[in-house]
């Protein structure tokens, strides 16, 4: 790899590591059935592997920056996946007769030129795995065709357009945001070429439109939206193959992740290895002695606590090492506290104290009233008086229905703690509990070591689970 290519590779890798937040995927193959040319592209799949939501990628950039080429390249590389591509251009509002009369005064680069509601509706339907009818826009007539293009549900949806990252509502739908960065001169040259050859314009008209509308809108809306991107791809006369490869590789990696981790950006499952799997095997074994259960549960709980602490903010700090050399490091976050959900949550207190000397730990006791699915009653709470100023590590080794955790989080929020400052640390989580907490409290970070199959309908125990954690940890 050339040094330039390797620099770009490092850049893209770093951007992906720092900012990318993702969701969903599946299987299929590409076959271009785009009847409208500029109407967006569609690639049909073999199957969507029963996914509940697609993974949305937004690709923005100035006019003629190469967005379509970037999308095509990503799609080609994801040829074994079920991918569809939509273009924001398909959602241009058709012009009225009066607007067409005066078309040189119409600003096609302003957000108002797009039917954003229709675009959102389309994305929401695809999100629910429903097929959509996408409008077909005719650039020569400035009108929507009477026909539409049917787009089937897919595992990956790529949305490209100049304002895809500018529009907040659209950004909210995207799991990955890409900005294609191309020199202004190059873009103008391409734009002239394209509009003359393919959109029935003359050179003078293209330049006039560019100066009057395209450039000002780029400066006002498009360029500032770069800051929302997870990845910025430098794009020039040649394709940035390295960047595309790395993005595709990253998407593939994310597509392989279990469903829940792709849906919820506030869920972290700590990476497993054979040590961790071995410890889980011991604590899940019904014949394990109490001493061994406690020993291995403690080791696992310590890992969960360490992973949770990794999500706290930090400040930079440099020190001098004994060799006299500087080491640029970080300082731990201040103002923390733990809150354990009595009784099982108390098993995590030692792990937290071992990591954070002298940390304040509060307690909450909730009680289920009869049926487990009924809202929990708060029996007791003892929390630090200044909890509203602290980051809160909420401790409970088992997340089953999520009722106990939800009630505890409500109590903590009621004390004035910002939702984004709550970390819920748990050893084993059932999908039902993950949905409950991650959906209800999207800014609470949930950190767990393993996600199990589900909850037993009769006993409400996590399956395969560990049985009653509190009994096995505390009782002889
Ligand atoms: N004159 C005219 N321009 C239009 C019309 N509709 C859209 N545009 C222009 O189309 C542009 C949006 O398309 P681009 O982002 O350039 O197209 P693209 O093919 O996705 O660009 P790349 O793939 O990045 O090369 C805007 O800058 C608008 O000015 C129209 O009906 N008439
Ligand atoms: O997500 P949920 O459905 O609310 O279930 C999880 C709760 O169940 C367990 O406690 P349990 O009520 O068994 O009490 P214990 O801690 O005293 O063992 C566990 O420690 C959680 O607090
Ligand atoms: O499986 C479960 C569910 C709730 N509480 C437990 O201790 N275990």
């Amino acid at each position: 790899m050339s040094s330039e290519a390797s620099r770009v590779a490092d850049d893209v890798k770093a951007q992906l590591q720092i900012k990318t937040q993702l969701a969903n995927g599946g299987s299929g193959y590409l076959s271009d059935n785009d009847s409208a040319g500029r109407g967006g592209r569609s690639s049909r799949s073999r199957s969507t592997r029963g996914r509940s939501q697609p993974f949305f990628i937004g690709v923005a950039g100035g006019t003629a920056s190469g967005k379509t080429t970037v999308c095509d390249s990503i799609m080609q590389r994801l040829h074994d996946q079920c991918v569809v591509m939509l273009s924001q251009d398909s959602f241009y509002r058709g012009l009225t007769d009066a607007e067409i009369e005066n078309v040189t005064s119409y600003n096609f680069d302003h957000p108002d030129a797009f039917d954003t509601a229709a675009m959102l509706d389309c994305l929401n339907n695809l999100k629910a795995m429903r097929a959509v009818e996408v409008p077909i826009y005719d650039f020569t007539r400035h009108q929507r065709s009477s026909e539409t293009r049917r787009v089937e549900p897919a595992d990956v949806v790529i949305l490209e357009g100049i304002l895809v990252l500018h529009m907040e509502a659209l950004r909210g739908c995207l799991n990955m945001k890409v900005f294609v960065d191309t020199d202004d001169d190059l873009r103008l040259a391409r734009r002239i070429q394209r509009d003359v050859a393919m959109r029935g314009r003359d050179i003078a008209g293209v330049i006039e439109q560019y100066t009057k509308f395209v450039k000002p809108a780029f400066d006002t809306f498009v360029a500032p939206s770069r800051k929302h991107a997870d990845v910025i791809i430098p794009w020039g006369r040649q394709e940035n193959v390295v960047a595309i490869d790395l993005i595709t590789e990253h998407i593939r990696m994310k597509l392989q992740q279990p469903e829940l981790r792709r849906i919820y950006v506030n869920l972290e499952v700590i990476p497993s290895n054979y040590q961790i799997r071995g410890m889980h095997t011991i604590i899940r074994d019904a014949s394990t002695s109490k001493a061994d259960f406690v020993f291995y549960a403690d080791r696992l709980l310590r890992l969960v606590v360490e992973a949770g602490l990794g999500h706290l903010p930090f400040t930079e700090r440099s020190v001098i090492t004994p060799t006299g050399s500087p080491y640029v490091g970080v300082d731990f976050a201040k103002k923390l506290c733990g809150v354990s959900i009595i009784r099982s949550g108390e098993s995590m207190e030692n792990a937290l104290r071992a990591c954070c000397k002298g940390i304040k730990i509060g307690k909450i006791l909730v009680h289920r009233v009869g049926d487990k699915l009924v809202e929990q009653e708060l029996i007791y709470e003892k929390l630090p008086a200044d909890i509203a100023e602290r980051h809160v590590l909420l401790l409970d080794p088992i997340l089953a229905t999520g009722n106990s955790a939800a009630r505890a989080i409500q109590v903590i929020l009621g004390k004035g703690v910002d939702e984004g400052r709550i970390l819920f640390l748990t050893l084993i989580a059932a999908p039902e509990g993950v949905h409950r907490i991650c959906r209800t409290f999207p800014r609470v970070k949930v950190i767990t070591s393993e996600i199990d199959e589900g909850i037993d309908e009769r006993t409400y125990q996590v399956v395969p689970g560990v049985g009653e954690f509190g009994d096995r940890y505390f009782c002889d």
Side-chain angles (χ1 to χ4, degrees):
M1 203 186 280
S2 73
S3 61
E4 175 61 12
S6 120
R7 188 189 58 73
V8 171
D10 288 347
D11 255 20
V12 173
K13 264 187 191 156
Q15 293 177 54
L16 287 168
Q17 270 164 15
I18 293 166
K19 292 182 78 183
T20 305
Q21 298 178 336
L22 300 176
N24 222 322
S27 74
Y29 64 94
L30 304 181
S31 78
D32 191 349
N33 65 356
D34 176 22
S35 54
R38 283 292 312 139
R41 206 171 310 274
S42 169
S43 333
R44 221 12 250 143
S45 62
R46 270 180 250 133
S47 94
T48 56
R49 280 193 205 143
R51 299 268 183 237
S52 64
Q53 276 184 28
F55 171 52
F56 289 93
I57 306 167
V59 178
T63 181
S65 53
K67 299 180 290 297
T68 320
T69 317
V70 166
C71 295
D72 281 345
S73 309
I74 293 175
M75 288 173 82
Q76 274 161 22
R77 284 165 177 77
L78 291 177
H79 58 87
D80 55 340
Q81 310 286 323
C82 168
V83 189
V84 294
M85 181 175 142
L86 300 179
S87 176
Q88 191 173 28
D89 296 355
S90 304
F91 296 89
Y92 267 119
R93 297 177 196 280
L95 270 56
T96 60
D97 289 346
E99 285 166 338
I100 290 179
E101 280 279 297
N102 214 358
V103 74
T104 51
S105 308
Y106 190 87
N107 189 349
F108 288 99
D109 290 72
H110 193 277
D112 292 347
F114 295 92
D115 185 350
T116 309
M119 209 167 355
L120 279 173
D121 192 47
C122 200
L123 294 182
N124 284 330
N125 275 312
L126 287 172
K127 189 172 180 179
M129 288 309 211
R130 287 190 291 265
V132 290
E133 295 296 329
V134 177
I136 295 174
Y137 182 78
D138 182 342
F139 278 84
T140 49
R141 292 190 308 111
H142 318 295
Q143 287 293 337
R144 279 187 187 173
S145 155
S146 56
E147 287 172 21
T148 55
R149 182 175 60 96
R150 187 176 173 83
V151 174
E152 298 292 336
D155 296 311
V156 181
V157 177
I158 307 181
L159 174 66
E160 70 84 23
I162 47 176
L163 298 173
V164 161
L165 296 191
H166 165 74
M167 295 176 173
E168 197 181 344
L170 292 185
R171 280 202 311 272
C173 301
L174 301 173
N175 304 112
M176 183 183 198
K177 305 182 216 62
V178 177
F179 189 93
V180 183
D181 212 10
T182 309
D183 277 354
D184 293 359
D185 297 352
L186 191 56
R187 289 193 300 102
L188 175 58
R190 281 186 192 156
R191 168 92 183 213
I192 294 172
Q193 238 173 8
R194 182 194 65 193
D195 281 9
V196 172
M198 293 161 63
R199 295 187 183 172
R201 314 272 148 73
D202 60 48
I203 295 180
V206 176
I207 293 174
E208 193 194 331
Q209 185 188 13
Y210 186 85
T211 323
K212 203 163 152 192
F213 296 122
V214 181
K215 174 88 171 71
F218 177 81
D219 294 338
T220 311
F221 306 116
V222 185
S225 75
R226 199 191 263 118
K227 66 171 177 284
H228 300 296
D230 301 309
V231 186
I232 297 171
I233 312 182
W235 202 255
R237 278 169 212 290
Q238 285 177 342
E239 283 194 21
N240 188 337
V241 178
V242 179
I244 296 289
D245 280 346
L246 287 166
I247 287 173
T248 317
E249 195 184 303
H250 188 76
I251 293 168
R252 274 190 186 288
M253 188 261 290
K254 288 292 179 180
L255 293 182
Q256 280 158 15
Q257 287 187 347
E259 180 97 349
L260 284 174
R261 285 165 66 193
R262 276 179 268 123
I263 297 174
Y264 299 115
V265 291
N266 54 333
L267 169 68
E268 192 207 321
V269 183
I270 60 177
S272 191
N273 56 39
Y274 287 115
Q275 274 295 306
I276 292 178
R277 198 73 182 154
M279 292 188 269
H280 267 280
T281 310
I282 295 171
I283 65 164
R284 286 155 181 286
D285 184 343
S287 66
T288 294
S289 67
K290 183 203 165 184
D292 280 354
F293 182 86
V294 171
F295 181 82
Y296 289 104
D298 280 347
R299 279 186 63 189
L300 285 167
L301 291 171
R302 177 80 180 253
L303 293 177
V304 174
V305 167
E306 290 281 10
L309 292 170
H311 286 274
L312 292 169
F314 57 83
T315 46
E316 251 187 40
R317 179 178 163 218
S318 295
V319 293
I320 302 296
T321 72
T323 65
S325 322
Y327 177 87
V328 183
V330 297
D331 235 350
F332 297 137
K334 309 238 172 344
K335 291 276 193 191
L336 316 179
C337 72
V339 173
S340 58
I341 300 181
I342 302 172
R343 151 190 71 160
S344 296
E346 292 171 299
S347 66
M348 300 176 75
E349 293 180 3
N350 282 342
L352 183 57
R353 286 210 176 88
C355 297
C356 308
K357 263 186 288 169
I359 188 169
K360 282 192 177 168
I361 300 185
K363 290 180 194 285
I364 289 179
L365 175 61
V366 287
H367 178 68
R368 73 188 79 102
V369 197
D371 185 341
K372 261 222 172 175
L373 299 175
V374 169
E375 185 96 344
Q376 309 256 320
E377 188 185 345
L378 174 66
I379 305 292
Y380 169 83
E381 49 114 320
K382 188 167 181 351
L383 301 170
D386 58 351
I387 191 167
E389 294 154 32
R390 296 177 180 270
H391 294 273
V392 179
L393 298 134
L394 179 61
L395 313 173
D396 195 336
I398 306 290
L399 175 65
T401 62
N403 286 341
S404 314
R407 188 71 187 96
I409 292 169
Q410 278 164 359
V411 172
I412 294 165
L413 292 173
K415 298 287 174 191
V417 176
D418 181 71
E419 191 181 306
R421 287 183 158 220
I422 302 174
L423 298 165
F424 177 60
L425 311 186
T426 188
L427 181 59
I428 294 169
E432 292 87 338
V434 171
H435 283 300
R436 171 88 194 270
I437 301 303
C438 290
R439 246 186 226 148
T440 318
F441 308 103
R443 292 197 299 127
V444 169
K445 187 95 197 172
V446 175
I447 292 115
T448 188
S449 166
E450 284 196 351
I451 296 183
D452 278 18
E453 281 163 27
I455 300 175
D456 181 280
E457 280 177 17
R458 198 177 47 82
T459 62
Y460 296 110
Q461 287 206 321
V462 179
V463 179
V466 289
E468 283 300 324
F469 185 96
D471 289 354
R472 295 189 68 186
Y473 193 94
F474 292 113
C475 302
D476 288 321

